[in-house]
Amino acid sequence: MAESIVSEALADLDAETGVVDLVQAYALRIPAQVIVRLLGVPEAVLPAFQGAAGVLFDTAASPAEVDQATRALLDLLGQMVDSKRRRPGDDLVSDLVRLRMHPATPCPIRNCAIS
């Protein structure tokens, strides 16, 4: 998975001008995309999810902006959990939902406990 994300990021670099902001185009993009794919964030909400998460790491964001972004992110996560209950996938949120719904299921995460 990470290899395909890195390949996509490299392909998107601007070869025409030869100028690129590696922090924005590569260093921030790669971990963010790995995280959303591991979580199973649907493509349809990806821009909203990444936008809200980005505000949480923006040191220039006001407390009101952080509060709004936090609420938006929690709402999106709640929608994901509801969706994964109906149609689980091969992702971390689905695994956690399965554990919550079926506590006898072995946890795929070392040393986890769901109560």
Side-chain angles (χ1 to χ4, degrees), residues 28-60:
L28 294 177
R29 178 179 174 178
I30 305 298
Q33 287 189 356
V34 168
I35 290 167
V36 296
R37 288 193 189 173
L38 286 173
L39 289 174
V41 177
E43 288 287 326
V45 299
L46 196 51
F49 189 92
Q50 289 178 320
V55 171
L56 299 181
F57 294 98
D58 182 356
T59 57

Side-chain angles (χ1 to χ4, degrees), residues 69-85:
T70 301
R71 282 186 270 118
L73 207 50
L74 290 173
D75 184 53
L76 289 168
L77 287 168
Q79 292 173 30
M80 280 179 54
V81 167
D82 290 343
S83 174
K84 302 296 182 176
R85 281 188 184 124

